[in-house]
Amino acid sequence: MFYRIAMCIGALSLAAIGPAVFAQEVAPDVLVKSVATEVLEIVRSDKEILAGNQKRIMDLAEEKVLPHFNFARMTALAMGPSWRRATPDQQKRVVEQFRTLLVHTYSSGLAAYRNQTIDYKPLRSKPADTEVIVRSEIRQSGAQAIPIDYNMEKTDGGWKVFDVAIGGVSLVTTYRETFSQEVRANGIDGLINTLVDKNKQNAGTRK
């Protein structure tokens, strides 16, 4: 459960960053730290979330978290060579389904979040860098701290996350093995169908 919560916080630490803030060219670690307190306070105090309102949880993830992730790049990295073999329509469908899958994952962690804290490590980067790693740790009393590393890229729309490593395990790498197995067995359309089925199952558990 603590690992799932860590995944959620990994996403939520960027949740309140808006376009205006991005435009100020603030360092990515400063962005992450500056919004984390505000976002996690919402999680702690929102009555609907505390009551387990699934729609409110999903809406929060959709509105606050997802705009700050580069799902196209995440999906391409997760698919590996299969991405280049996919048609534009297949690529679009995989991105949509992968995005939905991660919404459910983050929402599950969001629902369980309560009193965790975040420690941040000094950012090691150069001013000209367009990709950086923002390192942090999630701490909870009675549990071992979990490192969370954000792989971020500088885009025209600001800094965006293209991978998250939790406890040293890359989200993209984890899905790459699963995606590769599915593509080998059933092709790219088979992967899409598997993701669609998984998302339907997740939606069913939230009714």
Side-chain angles (χ1 to χ4, degrees):
M1 178 63 72
F2 187 29
Y3 184 86
R4 182 189 298 173
I5 293 170
M7 289 189 68
C8 168
I9 297 176
L12 288 178
S13 293
L14 299 175
I17 303 173
V21 177
F22 272 130
Q24 296 175 14
E25 297 294 333
V26 179
D29 60 328
V30 176
L31 289 174
V32 172
K33 288 186 285 188
S34 67
V35 301
T37 300
E38 178 183 358
V39 172
L40 297 179
E41 182 58 33
I42 293 174
V43 176
R44 294 188 189 102
S45 61
D46 189 290
K47 294 181 179 179
E48 294 186 50
I49 291 176
L50 294 174
N53 185 317
Q54 298 299 320
K55 185 179 185 305
R56 169 61 178 155
I57 294 169
M58 294 287 287
D59 288 347
L60 182 59
E62 284 279 359
E63 177 184 356
K64 297 291 187 177
V65 179
L66 303 188
H68 308 295
F69 279 70
N70 185 342
F71 284 103
R73 183 173 180 185
M74 290 180 73
T75 307
L77 291 172
M79 288 187 68
S82 299
W83 176 259
R84 294 189 295 273
R85 297 197 299 269
T87 66
D89 180 65
Q90 287 174 323
Q91 291 177 349
K92 178 182 177 182
R93 292 169 65 195
V94 176
V95 171
E96 290 173 348
Q97 294 302 320
F98 190 33
R99 180 181 185 278
T100 300
L101 180 64
L102 293 180
V103 173
H104 287 292
T105 300
Y106 293 142
S107 297
S108 295
L110 177 58
Y113 174 80
R114 290 298 179 269
N115 297 309
Q116 292 73 26
T117 60
I118 309 172
D119 289 336
Y120 296 94
K121 309 301 181 183
L123 179 66
R124 297 179 179 178
S125 68
K126 300 176 182 178
D129 287 346
T130 57
E131 292 189 1
V132 300
I133 300 177
V134 177
R135 304 183 187 278
S136 67
E137 284 187 341
I138 304 301
R139 297 183 178 275
Q140 177 174 286
S141 178
Q144 184 176 359
I146 297 180
I148 296 186
D149 297 338
Y150 309 86
N151 288 78
M152 303 178 69
E153 62 177 343
K154 190 174 185 179
T155 73
D156 292 340
W159 288 96
K160 293 187 183 292
V161 176
F162 64 89
D163 193 13
V164 180
I166 302 173
V169 180
S170 159
L171 180 71
V172 164
T173 301
T174 298
Y175 278 104
R176 182 180 297 151
E177 182 177 353
T178 302
F179 284 9
S180 295
Q181 291 176 350
E182 185 62 40
V183 171
R184 284 196 300 269
N186 300 301
I188 294 171
D189 284 337
L191 170 62
I192 294 170
N193 292 334
T194 296
L195 291 173
V196 169
D197 290 342
K198 180 63 176 176
N199 287 327
K200 286 181 179 178
Q201 292 174 13
N202 288 335
T205 62
R206 294 181 175 276
K207 292 181 179 180

mmCIF file of all heavy atoms in Angstrom, residues 3 133-136 146-151 161 163-172:
data_model
loop_
_atom_site.group_PDB
_atom_site.id
_atom_site.type_symbol
_atom_site.label_atom_id
_atom_site.label_comp_id
_atom_site.label_asym_id
_atom_site.label_seq_id
_atom_site.Cartn_x
_atom_site.Cartn_y
_atom_site.Cartn_z
ATOM 1 N N TYR A 3 3.779 1.618 -1.230
ATOM 2 C CA TYR A 3 4.372 1.756 -2.561
ATOM 3 C C TYR A 3 3.379 2.423 -3.512
ATOM 4 O O TYR A 3 3.733 3.292 -4.293
ATOM 5 C CB TYR A 3 4.759 0.378 -3.086
ATOM 6 C CG TYR A 3 5.464 0.405 -4.419
ATOM 7 C CD1 TYR A 3 6.837 0.582 -4.488
ATOM 8 C CD2 TYR A 3 4.761 0.249 -5.603
ATOM 9 C CE1 TYR A 3 7.495 0.601 -5.708
ATOM 10 C CE2 TYR A 3 5.405 0.279 -6.827
ATOM 11 C CZ TYR A 3 6.777 0.451 -6.866
ATOM 12 O OH TYR A 3 7.412 0.474 -8.071
ATOM 13 N N ILE A 133 16.925 14.955 -13.599
ATOM 14 C CA ILE A 133 16.290 14.022 -12.669
ATOM 15 C C ILE A 133 16.104 14.738 -11.338
ATOM 16 O O ILE A 133 17.074 15.201 -10.733
ATOM 17 C CB ILE A 133 17.133 12.749 -12.459
ATOM 18 C CG1 ILE A 133 17.336 12.015 -13.784
ATOM 19 C CG2 ILE A 133 16.456 11.832 -11.437
ATOM 20 C CD1 ILE A 133 18.231 10.785 -13.666
ATOM 21 N N VAL A 134 14.874 14.861 -10.916
ATOM 22 C CA VAL A 134 14.556 15.438 -9.619
ATOM 23 C C VAL A 134 14.372 14.279 -8.642
ATOM 24 O O VAL A 134 13.502 13.434 -8.828
ATOM 25 C CB VAL A 134 13.282 16.304 -9.675
ATOM 26 C CG1 VAL A 134 12.932 16.824 -8.288
ATOM 27 C CG2 VAL A 134 13.467 17.461 -10.652
ATOM 28 N N ARG A 135 15.201 14.252 -7.609
ATOM 29 C CA ARG A 135 15.214 13.121 -6.676
ATOM 30 C C ARG A 135 14.528 13.502 -5.362
ATOM 31 O O ARG A 135 14.714 14.609 -4.853
ATOM 32 C CB ARG A 135 16.641 12.661 -6.409
ATOM 33 C CG ARG A 135 17.403 12.290 -7.681
ATOM 34 C CD ARG A 135 18.795 11.770 -7.380
ATOM 35 N NE ARG A 135 19.571 11.584 -8.604
ATOM 36 C CZ ARG A 135 19.495 10.521 -9.384
ATOM 37 N NH1 ARG A 135 18.692 9.516 -9.036
ATOM 38 N NH2 ARG A 135 20.219 10.424 -10.489
ATOM 39 N N SER A 136 13.757 12.555 -4.841
ATOM 40 C CA SER A 136 13.066 12.791 -3.579
ATOM 41 C C SER A 136 12.876 11.468 -2.848
ATOM 42 O O SER A 136 13.165 10.395 -3.384
ATOM 43 C CB SER A 136 11.704 13.459 -3.829
ATOM 44 O OG SER A 136 10.830 12.564 -4.492
ATOM 45 N N ILE A 146 10.930 5.576 0.657
ATOM 46 C CA ILE A 146 10.942 5.124 -0.734
ATOM 47 C C ILE A 146 11.460 6.255 -1.622
ATOM 48 O O ILE A 146 10.859 7.325 -1.677
ATOM 49 C CB ILE A 146 9.528 4.713 -1.193
ATOM 50 C CG1 ILE A 146 9.034 3.519 -0.377
ATOM 51 C CG2 ILE A 146 9.537 4.377 -2.681
ATOM 52 C CD1 ILE A 146 7.643 3.048 -0.778
ATOM 53 N N PRO A 147 12.570 6.012 -2.319
ATOM 54 C CA PRO A 147 13.074 7.040 -3.253
ATOM 55 C C PRO A 147 12.150 7.161 -4.464
ATOM 56 O O PRO A 147 11.665 6.164 -4.998
ATOM 57 C CB PRO A 147 14.453 6.489 -3.674
ATOM 58 C CG PRO A 147 14.776 5.407 -2.703
ATOM 59 C CD PRO A 147 13.461 4.850 -2.252
ATOM 60 N N ILE A 148 11.916 8.397 -4.892
ATOM 61 C CA ILE A 148 11.170 8.655 -6.111
ATOM 62 C C ILE A 148 11.975 9.635 -6.962
ATOM 63 O O ILE A 148 12.310 10.727 -6.511
ATOM 64 C CB ILE A 148 9.778 9.232 -5.838
ATOM 65 C CG1 ILE A 148 8.918 8.228 -5.076
ATOM 66 C CG2 ILE A 148 9.089 9.617 -7.155
ATOM 67 C CD1 ILE A 148 7.486 8.671 -4.891
ATOM 68 N N ASP A 149 12.313 9.208 -8.171
ATOM 69 C CA ASP A 149 13.060 10.051 -9.101
ATOM 70 C C ASP A 149 12.172 10.411 -10.283
ATOM 71 O O ASP A 149 11.565 9.536 -10.901
ATOM 72 C CB ASP A 149 14.308 9.330 -9.617
ATOM 73 C CG ASP A 149 15.283 9.007 -8.507
ATOM 74 O OD1 ASP A 149 15.221 9.669 -7.453
ATOM 75 O OD2 ASP A 149 16.115 8.092 -8.693
ATOM 76 N N TYR A 150 12.122 11.697 -10.597
ATOM 77 C CA TYR A 150 11.331 12.182 -11.721
ATOM 78 C C TYR A 150 12.262 12.470 -12.900
ATOM 79 O O TYR A 150 13.122 13.351 -12.800
ATOM 80 C CB TYR A 150 10.592 13.474 -11.382
ATOM 81 C CG TYR A 150 9.795 13.450 -10.111
ATOM 82 C CD1 TYR A 150 10.405 13.749 -8.894
ATOM 83 C CD2 TYR A 150 8.438 13.174 -10.124
ATOM 84 C CE1 TYR A 150 9.681 13.749 -7.718
ATOM 85 C CE2 TYR A 150 7.702 13.173 -8.956
ATOM 86 C CZ TYR A 150 8.325 13.458 -7.754
ATOM 87 O OH TYR A 150 7.605 13.465 -6.598
ATOM 88 N N ASN A 151 12.110 11.768 -13.994
ATOM 89 C CA ASN A 151 12.824 12.110 -15.220
ATOM 90 C C ASN A 151 11.997 13.163 -15.948
ATOM 91 O O ASN A 151 10.871 12.891 -16.374
ATOM 92 C CB ASN A 151 13.019 10.882 -16.105
ATOM 93 C CG ASN A 151 14.039 9.930 -15.536
ATOM 94 O OD1 ASN A 151 13.742 9.180 -14.605
ATOM 95 N ND2 ASN A 151 15.243 9.951 -16.059
ATOM 96 N N VAL A 161 7.160 15.382 -17.115
ATOM 97 C CA VAL A 161 7.686 14.092 -16.684
ATOM 98 C C VAL A 161 7.518 13.072 -17.805
ATOM 99 O O VAL A 161 6.453 12.979 -18.406
ATOM 100 C CB VAL A 161 6.933 13.590 -15.432
ATOM 101 C CG1 VAL A 161 7.411 12.200 -15.035
ATOM 102 C CG2 VAL A 161 7.115 14.567 -14.281
ATOM 103 N N ASP A 163 9.175 9.857 -17.196
ATOM 104 C CA ASP A 163 9.347 8.591 -16.485
ATOM 105 C C ASP A 163 9.439 8.891 -14.999
ATOM 106 O O ASP A 163 9.870 9.984 -14.599
ATOM 107 C CB ASP A 163 10.601 7.856 -16.948
ATOM 108 C CG ASP A 163 10.648 6.395 -16.478
ATOM 109 O OD1 ASP A 163 9.604 5.895 -16.012
ATOM 110 O OD2 ASP A 163 11.717 5.767 -16.588
ATOM 111 N N VAL A 164 9.020 7.925 -14.189
ATOM 112 C CA VAL A 164 9.136 8.020 -12.739
ATOM 113 C C VAL A 164 9.736 6.715 -12.245
ATOM 114 O O VAL A 164 9.252 5.633 -12.599
ATOM 115 C CB VAL A 164 7.762 8.251 -12.065
ATOM 116 C CG1 VAL A 164 7.927 8.347 -10.553
ATOM 117 C CG2 VAL A 164 7.090 9.496 -12.605
ATOM 118 N N ALA A 165 10.801 6.823 -11.455
ATOM 119 C CA ALA A 165 11.417 5.633 -10.864
ATOM 120 C C ALA A 165 11.081 5.604 -9.379
ATOM 121 O O ALA A 165 11.372 6.564 -8.657
ATOM 122 C CB ALA A 165 12.915 5.638 -11.069
ATOM 123 N N ILE A 166 10.456 4.544 -8.930
ATOM 124 C CA ILE A 166 10.034 4.412 -7.538
ATOM 125 C C ILE A 166 10.815 3.266 -6.915
ATOM 126 O O ILE A 166 10.743 2.131 -7.380
ATOM 127 C CB ILE A 166 8.530 4.144 -7.441
ATOM 128 C CG1 ILE A 166 7.764 5.290 -8.114
ATOM 129 C CG2 ILE A 166 8.098 3.986 -5.983
ATOM 130 C CD1 ILE A 166 6.286 5.052 -8.225
ATOM 131 N N GLY A 167 11.582 3.586 -5.885
ATOM 132 C CA GLY A 167 12.421 2.572 -5.277
ATOM 133 C C GLY A 167 13.438 2.007 -6.248
ATOM 134 O O GLY A 167 13.830 0.840 -6.164
ATOM 135 N N GLY A 168 13.878 2.832 -7.193
ATOM 136 C CA GLY A 168 14.852 2.404 -8.184
ATOM 137 C C GLY A 168 14.260 1.676 -9.370
ATOM 138 O O GLY A 168 14.981 1.272 -10.280
ATOM 139 N N VAL A 169 12.943 1.514 -9.391
ATOM 140 C CA VAL A 169 12.274 0.779 -10.472
ATOM 141 C C VAL A 169 11.568 1.771 -11.389
ATOM 142 O O VAL A 169 10.666 2.494 -10.963
ATOM 143 C CB VAL A 169 11.264 -0.236 -9.920
ATOM 144 C CG1 VAL A 169 10.576 -0.984 -11.061
ATOM 145 C CG2 VAL A 169 11.959 -1.214 -8.983
ATOM 146 N N SER A 170 11.980 1.798 -12.646
ATOM 147 C CA SER A 170 11.399 2.714 -13.625
ATOM 148 C C SER A 170 10.013 2.257 -14.048
ATOM 149 O O SER A 170 9.798 1.094 -14.380
ATOM 150 C CB SER A 170 12.317 2.796 -14.850
ATOM 151 O OG SER A 170 11.634 3.261 -15.979
ATOM 152 N N LEU A 171 9.083 3.208 -14.048
ATOM 153 C CA LEU A 171 7.732 2.912 -14.505
ATOM 154 C C LEU A 171 7.745 2.471 -15.964
ATOM 155 O O LEU A 171 7.104 1.493 -16.340
ATOM 156 C CB LEU A 171 6.849 4.152 -14.335
ATOM 157 C CG LEU A 171 5.386 4.037 -14.757
ATOM 158 C CD1 LEU A 171 4.629 3.157 -13.785
ATOM 159 C CD2 LEU A 171 4.743 5.417 -14.827
ATOM 160 N N VAL A 172 8.493 3.192 -16.788
ATOM 161 C CA VAL A 172 8.571 2.865 -18.207
ATOM 162 C C VAL A 172 9.163 1.479 -18.423
ATOM 163 O O VAL A 172 8.652 0.677 -19.209
ATOM 164 C CB VAL A 172 9.403 3.936 -18.949
ATOM 165 C CG1 VAL A 172 9.830 3.426 -20.330
ATOM 166 C CG2 VAL A 172 8.603 5.224 -19.098
#
